[in-house]
Amino acid sequence: MPSSFGLLLTGSPTDLAVLREVARDHPGLLGAPWWVSPVGEHLALVPVEGGSDAAREPWVPVELDPREARRAAHLFEAIPPRAVPGEAIPDEACFLASVAEPAARLLVERLLRLGRDDARLAELEAPEGRRLLVVLERPPLYLLMRARDEAEGVRVYTRHRATPLWVAWGFAHPLAELAAAHLDGGAALVDGDGTWRRLAEAPGGAPIADHVRAVLDPPRETWSAAPGRTRFDVPLRLVPAAPLDPELWLLDADAFLRLEGLVAHASPDALNRLTVGRLRAGDGSVRYALRERPGRGAALGAQVAELLGQPGLARVTGTDGLYIPVDRRLEPPVGLAELRRVLALEDAPLVVLDEQDGAPRLVHLAAAPDAPLSSWVEYAATDRREALDAAFERMVFEVSEPVVERAAPPRAAPPTPGARRSEKRRRRRPWLPRLVDAVTDRLDPADVRVARARAAELQPRILEGGCDEAAVWRALGEALGVLGDGDDAALCLEAAAFLGDEEAPALLGELGGRQDDEAAVEAATCEAPTPLQASRLGARVLADLGAGRPLLDGLGARVLQLFTQPGLPVSRRLSWAVQRTLHAQSGDRLGLTRSREALVGALNVDGLREACDAPRFVRTALALGDTEATVVRGDQAAALRGLWGILEAGLGDGDPQALLYRAAFAVGFQRLGDGEMSRPLAELVEEESPVHDAPVQALARLYLGSIGADDEGREDRLEAACERLSPAEARAARFFVRKSRWLSPAGPPEQMTMGAYEAELAELEATPTALPGWVEGVLAAKSGYDAHIARAAVRAMWVALGTGSEELVEGMLAAALGGIDRLTLLAPRAELAGAALRAAALVSDEGAVDALVGEVTGLAPRMEAVGQLLSAIGPALAALRRVGASDSSDRFLAALWQVARRPHDEAPKVGAFLAEGYWLAGNAGRAEAAIDEVEARVLGDELRHLPRYEGAAAMLDALRSWPLEARRERAERLLLALPRFNDAFTTRRWLDVLRVLLVEGVVDAIADARTFASARLRRWLEAEEQVTRRRVLKDWRRFG
Amino acid sequence: MAETWTFEELDREIDDVRERILRHGRHLQRWFVAREAEVELALVCACAQEPLLLVGPPGTAKSDLVLKLVESLGLGPEDYFEYMLTKFTEPSEILGPIDLEQLKGGRFRRRVEGMLPTAAVVFLDEIFKSNSAILNTLLTVLNERKFYQDGEPVPVAMKLLFAATNDIPEQSELEALADRFVLKIETRPVKDRAFDELVRAGMRNEALRAVGARPWADGPASLTDLLKFKRYMDLSFADEGEERDRWCPPAVFAELRRVVRVLETEDKVYVSDRKVVKLYKLVRTRAFLTHGGAVQHDDLRLLRYIGNQRHELPVVEDKVNRLLGLA
């Protein structure tokens, strides 16, 4: 063996530098054979051929000991791996064992025991015998340690990054990268002692199952299927159960007539939900089937049952038409097919199983009750719509004959004339109120046609909102009076009188017949007059004073006292008209000022009230569009079906979200009364639920349980659902529920504390004139927290607004504007600025509005919490709209537009806010542009997952004011992009929270008619409020 | 009770003592349904004088197990202290009221008779519902086997401590106390797997208690046997030193280390240094108690009970079963 120059490895970090130098200067030596020999504590390496012929760094003279030296095939093999401290779990490992040894079998058994059936096994022919190679990712630490610790014959290697070089676990090769590059398509296993094993190809193999033969040799026996089927007779019976809401009643004629009480005051929606069928029983008697269909609002079942004195029948879950008594259930539960057979459910659309004389009775209804109860009713007269308390007792029979008359009797013969006459006789009462008689007497078909045409012509003008033409209101009031719609006629005539129409008071007085003296005194002196009493009293006062008739002694003072009350249930217009007329008669300028302040204060706090100030035709038209409620619901249901089709098409098998999507859409269809869609979806959810993870199951149950349930029980339902979950699962379920708008329990109202200011303010509320000085002092002293100061100032502002005193509000605005910059925290400052802006708008203080719009728009770009900003300025924007300050409102929105266009996570939220703002302000072009921009951002690439979802949710919320088709189109695009709505919550193990929440939002956007209605109505009320404010101010100035 | 036996004295009788304790375990098992693991752990912990935590819903024989063990050892009420802790429990309720006579003399002493300091066996129900004052007192009692009288440490007579809880709250201030319980066992309802037997045994127990009979009290072993066993083990441990391989073969020791490491790494079960030492002591105790020799693979089954949090208990039990190939 030659004495030569070689390398001396010391085990220090310099070794690596030495080896790299050799690799750089002598690349040919890397794959050439080397002599390796220990020299003391070091390791000497000498190339068999080549190398350096002189002692220059890193080459040193080396004398090899022939007894110690070994020949390595290449440099990498010559260098032993070095030990690495710790027991890190590698990404990938392979285990090597002799197939002939028990160790291989034990290894496979342990892998299976630890659930690692993802391992891949290969068998290799090696010189020392057949070897088993097991490769798996993220190997169990136990097996790694076991292979390392125990001399069982299992070796374990970890892969060096993604290279074909595998080094013993706990070791690393200093030249791993270079060594891997020289493997030429094969792979190598390197032991801790430096032994190399070459593999012709990279480790891989077959699934572990292919290498396992389960061994069990128990005594065997085989059972074969027996022919035929044994049927066991199980008696089906009705047993007591927790009562359900009734949905069906079988009534005789007397019971049916008791519905008059309901018919007289039920809403159109309710009357559409109740359907009736007229049937002939086996004994020839006429019976009525009354059914309640699902719909919006609270169920009517309990109310109807109480009225009829019959608990009614409830549908058996899972069936379409089987009804049993509400407090019974079928025992034992049997399959639907068996129920169909035994009860012959296919023979009739509805089947009733109830009890008669203690024995079961089966009734097949040949025709389903499908004519809406509303179609059985013809209103010949009505009365003041708000008289639902004391007046109800008299109004029960004011629905004139024939009250119950089927318009299009389905599948049953019409009642015989004789029978109808006898029904008429039973219903007729000798003491019909005079009002009804009077109106009924005026009805003439020709007049009705003319009036109907006139009303149809004028109503659109009113529906536009902000109508200040007295003649239009009066003409419409007259037409509606002819048509017998006393309520709306009165409201229209009150508006006409308010706007100064001279004929309106007389017409108003005639509408229901002049209130007699006794009734007038009673209405004026009773503690709380009914709406009917109050409005007729107002009408009488206006009519008498308009005609120059003197009022009864003392009546004027009492009426003034009464009509100054902000909570009096009459229209604000009538209230002002009465007060204005009385003050004008007495020449009381100060009194008129007080009345004005009271009315303006009420407007500041509550605005116009839907129930008192909006005629029914306005509420109906704006709530339901131009069509009937059912048509609107049908459109909504069709839109929702379309969206469901899109979502369903993209669902994959086993998608955990699928269950929740179905549940969410089932809720949506149920809201729209679309049982054809909601029931199968709910049943599918029930059916598929068991294959899903427990938290997903629980959430699906919560969704289905939310149908028809009230908000108050949410907490209890959540707790019940979490009882069966593990703590981790329950945490996941609670996390989702907290974020869900449908499932999250309504917490107690947030306590907006004001600290020490609370008590001081409570005392000052009795003397509001001191408030501006107090607020000024509080802001100047700034002795408390900014949040407390801001809330106290906002509260004081509200008190001032409630007084209706412009002077006081101006004082408050001056105090707020003077000291607002004392607040250094932006959120409280925005809160106060928003409240002040609202106040400034309501008192039409343009200077203050300008200053505050500047203040808020200045704050907006600096505020990081956009949510706080929007909640602070939202009411201010609404106030600007209400008072018609469109310029300020536009400027305000334009400033926010700049915030919305900034590349900011919360920009879409601002954009959605803007879009809704523009839409409600009637600027559809801007609104569309804003919502387009929001959508583009939400579906674009720049947002992270959470802002993306929040932007989409804000967009869906804003869209509720849009027409149905626009909502549907945008919701569809969101659904198509649903896979983009990822999240990084720990709950991902079970479900993608944000996707499900987005689906919730989509369903809400389509199937929540209430918000849709309220947005349009709100706009109408805001427009009318502007007219009211302008007129009140004009009257007051004119009088002065 | 004097605990000054020498190794030579104990060595002569330790096999008899061991046999009596094992028979005692079998005797106790007869009065329970499907509570083998709980009874075994109670005895192992009693032999090692380590506290045991029973975790489970109400009505799963937690207090019955402790009470029967106490009675079976022939102990009377003066040796046993049981208390249900609440957040309003004051130290006086477990350590004894202040001695007013001595207080007048300026000494703050408690009257400890019949309270925790004088009891040989202590059972604390709902232990994690206690307040900070009680927690601090208990930590001192558990760590140092003493409590403070007028600022002076006074030893407690407590040999065995059992505690029960419905849940293990995840609050940092309770972690120290929870860590003192090396072993925690879930007591699960057995009605689903042994309904018939449960009703039969339950009715028998009810009837026996109603007539004042306590046949389980006639146990083969006594508290003295447990103390002797503990003393013998302590003396053995003191001498173990270089002979550890004899009492715990390297392969089994390596397995112990592996399982602990795996539970820490893969399941994030925190095992403190103190716990490791006590765990080894408990494994050794079980080995010597059950077969009188070196630790065997099967003795490592105690590792099933080293979970800390409530949700960890079933996970750890399952994992250890898989790793060790236990049924």
Side-chain angles (χ1 to χ4, degrees), chain A residues 864-880:
Chain A
E864 290 187 4
V866 172
Q868 285 179 329
L869 172 71
L870 299 184
S871 65
I873 62 178
L877 185 61
L880 289 173

Side-chain angles (χ1 to χ4, degrees), chain A residues 335-384:
Chain A
L336 185 55
E338 193 56 18
L339 273 184
R340 282 201 187 102
R341 187 193 64 77
V342 71
L343 301 178
L345 297 185
E346 308 289 357
D347 293 354
L350 293 187
V351 176
V352 172
L353 179 65
D354 61 4
E355 291 163 325
Q356 198 170 45
D357 304 326
R361 180 184 69 155
L362 187 63
V363 180
H364 282 82
L365 304 185
D370 52 8
L373 186 56
S374 57
S375 68
W376 289 63
V377 180
E378 189 167 293
Y379 296 95
T382 179
D383 200 49
R384 306 310 296 260

Side-chain angles (χ1 to χ4, degrees), chain A residues 154-175:
Chain A
V154 177
R155 294 174 185 278
V156 59
Y157 306 90
T158 64
R159 190 170 188 174
H160 179 75
R161 295 184 184 149
T163 70
L165 184 71
W166 300 71
V167 183
W169 182 57
F171 291 87
H173 197 288
L175 294 180

